[in-house]
Amino acid sequence: MKSNEKRCIVLGATGHLGSRLVPALVAQGHQVAVLIRDGAQATRFPTNVMVHVGDVTDARAVREALAGNDVVYFLVHSLDQRGFAGIDREAATTVASAAEEAEVGQIVYVGGPQPKTTLSPHLASRAEVGDALAATGVPTLVLQASMIIGDGSASFELLKSTATLTPWVPVPQWMHNTSRPVAVADVVHFLTAAAETEPLDGVFDVLGPERLSYVELVQRCARVLKLPVRVPLPAPVWSHKLAAQVAGLVTPVSATVAEPLFASLDLDLVPDGPPATDVLPAPPHGLTSIDNAIRAAITNEPEQTGGEMYAEERTVLTDASPEDVWRTVTDLGGDDGWHTLPLVWTVRGAIDHLLGGSGLYRGRAPKIDEGDVVDFWTVVHRDDDAKRLVLKADMKMPGHTVLDMRVDRHDDRTRYRQKVTFAADGLMGQLYWMAQKPLHDIVFAMMARGIVRTACTSR
């Protein structure tokens, strides 16, 4: 074992931060282990990562996993479960006790900012977890960050959806409060740096380069996506609960997760403690700008064609296997249809045929690949390993439509992600999008659920 090599274990390794931290630690030459609930997800990690299977509230599993490690990363968060505060409290006390017993040299935890006034349930839980971890004699480094900008972050998914769903944005008073958003790459940098130093003890803030309100963040996200300025609509009765219920219907984030996140916006989330750079080196090229952080989080976007670009995303979780969902996706079209509102594509295809377009039923090959035709679409990308299929619409319309479908694992379930992007050609394209959007939302929402339902019945 090299002198600067550490034995690190990541708890929460399949989450937004953990899934990025594990390969970063491996790249730094450390010995890395993970504790995951679902053994089927072991294949997500490099072969040189030690995989332990168990729950962070299981004292025996945690003791066995932590034994022999130098650094424990606690990146667990149960926000998607009712009673998340109690679950996380139990996990933190279990890990803290096991870490002390195993004589671990360092605990590293990422929490939220702690305003001096009354905390939201979410932020109060984050503070409680940090306190529980630090209550032992093990040096505990608590890094506090507000919004982390990165693909898969619930906070960022809410931001992106707010910026892209409609030209109008409801603005309650709490959306004017501010924070210091930070790029996920910068947070991962500080986490890996913690394994390169002597054990640290204390609470430090990970600050982004700008202080922005949530309204300003929405406008910034729209700008990066080359969308027009979003029109703010004062919404004095737009409560956290109402906003969360709407988010659960039209964004990839469930209402259960969205409500405590929205409630945390009641206060300015600008940490005012010592910065992480007091004890850890700054990123080599400085902090990532907000624009570049957003740009990095929005990967593989279709090229803009000169007009406005609109996007609509849906995410459905299922107990069907990734293979069953992927097979349903790659069987779309032809005799199997599109798992949505009956006859809607038939009518649309007939209209397209009258306009001199491709119409609907052009058929499909038994196994489609890039360049193949699927009814009124053409395959522009297929990746069976990543389980991603991208189709381009061939119907006549004042713009260009791309349908991007992905299947992966999210915690211990299968996640189907569907994104429709429309690049409008001028004013006619913008009017076309607005006119067809109500029906579009119904059709593609039913399609996402229909794909998952079909995958479940095919098992």
Side-chain angles (χ1 to χ4, degrees):
M1 189 169 176
K2 300 176 184 177
S3 59
N4 62 341
E5 182 181 332
K6 299 283 182 65
R7 289 165 296 188
C8 306
I9 183 164
V10 180
L11 311 180
T14 60
H16 173 238
L17 276 177
S19 60
R20 291 165 167 81
L21 176 61
V22 169
L25 289 170
V26 170
Q28 292 288 341
H30 300 294
Q31 294 184 20
V32 183
V34 299
L35 175 63
I36 58 176
R37 285 181 297 175
D38 182 3
Q41 296 201 57
T43 55
R44 294 180 52 173
F45 303 102
T47 54
N48 56 345
V49 171
M50 172 68 72
V51 177
H52 301 273
V53 179
D55 193 272
V56 286
T57 60
D58 182 336
R60 179 179 177 180
V62 172
R63 282 197 303 270
E64 292 176 354
L66 265 56
N69 282 286
D70 303 307
V71 183
V72 176
Y73 288 94
F74 189 94
L75 305 177
V76 175
H77 201 2
S78 306
L79 197 60
D80 60 343
Q81 301 180 56
R82 295 290 182 186
F84 65 87
I87 297 170
D88 286 351
R89 183 190 313 117
E90 182 181 0
T93 53
T94 300
V95 170
S97 176
E100 187 172 33
E101 181 180 328
E103 299 182 342
V104 166
Q106 174 80 79
I107 296 174
V108 182
Y109 167 63
V110 176
Q114 304 301 319
K116 291 183 172 58
T117 52
T118 304
L119 298 178
S120 69
H122 169 231
L123 293 179
S125 171
R126 299 282 78 200
E128 184 180 34
V129 167
D131 291 343
L133 293 171
T136 68
V138 179
T140 301
L141 174 64
V142 177
L143 299 176
Q144 296 185 154
S146 50
M147 178 187 291
I148 298 176
I149 299 177
D151 179 34
S153 158
S155 296
F156 179 70
E157 293 299 330
L158 287 171
L159 168 67
K160 184 174 66 172
S161 296
T162 302
T164 58
L165 279 172
T166 71
W168 304 279
V169 179
V171 182
Q173 183 58 42
W174 46 267
M175 283 189 66
H176 292 290
N177 292 321
T178 59
S179 66
R180 292 283 293 268
V182 61
V184 65
D186 293 344
V187 179
V188 171
H189 161 81
F190 287 115
L191 289 172
T192 54
E196 306 286 327
T197 67
E198 293 300 313
L200 298 167
D201 200 36
V203 180
F204 299 89
D205 296 329
V206 179
L207 303 173
E210 296 181 66
R211 178 171 179 164
L212 297 170
S213 71
Y214 198 73
V215 178
E216 291 171 322
L217 271 171
V218 170
Q219 300 293 11
R220 187 69 66 86
C221 189
R223 186 180 80 184
V224 172
L225 285 166
K226 302 179 182 178
L227 297 171
V229 172
R230 307 289 88 177
V231 179
L233 298 177
V237 296
W238 195 249
S239 67
H240 307 133
K241 190 172 187 65
L242 176 58
Q245 292 302 315
V246 173
L249 293 173
V250 300
T251 80
V253 181
S254 71
T256 302
V257 172
E259 186 172 349
L261 291 177
F262 284 139
S264 297
L265 299 179
D266 267 344
L267 302 166
D268 286 330
L269 300 181
V270 181
D272 58 1
T277 48
D278 281 0
V279 293
L280 297 170
H285 302 292
L287 291 173
T288 306
S289 71
I290 298 297
D291 284 14
N292 282 339
I294 294 172
R295 196 169 286 114
I298 305 170
T299 58
N300 299 308
E301 297 291 340
E303 288 294 321
Q304 174 72 301
T305 60
E308 303 296 345
M309 189 157 66
Y310 304 91
E312 182 268 344
E313 295 184 59
R314 303 223 171 244
T315 298
V316 183
L317 297 176
T318 177
D319 292 324
S321 69
E323 291 72 25
D324 285 337
V325 178
W326 178 239
R327 183 167 54 251
T328 305
V329 168
T330 55
D331 285 346
L332 282 171
D335 293 338
D336 288 331
W338 294 86
H339 309 294
T340 188
L341 203 62
L343 299 180
V344 67
W345 289 128
T346 303
V347 174
R348 180 62 179 88
I351 294 172
D352 192 62
H353 184 77
L354 291 173
L355 295 173
S358 60
L360 179 60
Y361 295 110
R362 293 190 292 169
R364 51 159 290 152
K367 182 183 184 300
I368 55 172
D369 209 337
E370 293 179 8
D372 286 340
V373 166
V374 183
D375 294 339
F376 50 93
W377 302 86
T378 295
V379 181
V380 295
H381 179 73
R382 174 172 176 163
D383 186 335
D384 289 287
D385 292 330
K387 293 183 174 58
R388 183 184 181 204
L389 183 67
V390 183
L391 308 178
K392 175 176 67 69
D394 296 329
M395 286 184 170
K396 283 189 172 294
M397 64 184 78
H400 305 274
T401 298
V402 172
L403 172 60
D404 190 337
M405 296 168 283
R406 309 185 196 199
V407 181
D408 58 17
R409 296 291 292 183
H410 181 71
D411 291 335
D412 55 355
R413 304 188 74 192
T414 297
R415 176 171 61 178
Y416 169 68
R417 293 189 289 170
Q418 174 182 291
K419 180 176 183 178
V420 180
T421 304
F422 178 71
D425 285 345
L427 179 60
M428 287 301 296
Q430 296 176 47
L431 294 174
Y432 170 83
W433 172 262
M434 294 177 188
Q436 58 83 51
K437 192 174 188 308
L439 180 59
H440 162 107
D441 288 348
I442 296 171
V443 169
F444 282 100
M446 291 183 65
M447 176 178 163
R449 297 190 190 98
I451 287 172
V452 167
R453 185 169 55 251
T454 301
C456 289
T457 59
S458 68
R459 288 186 289 174

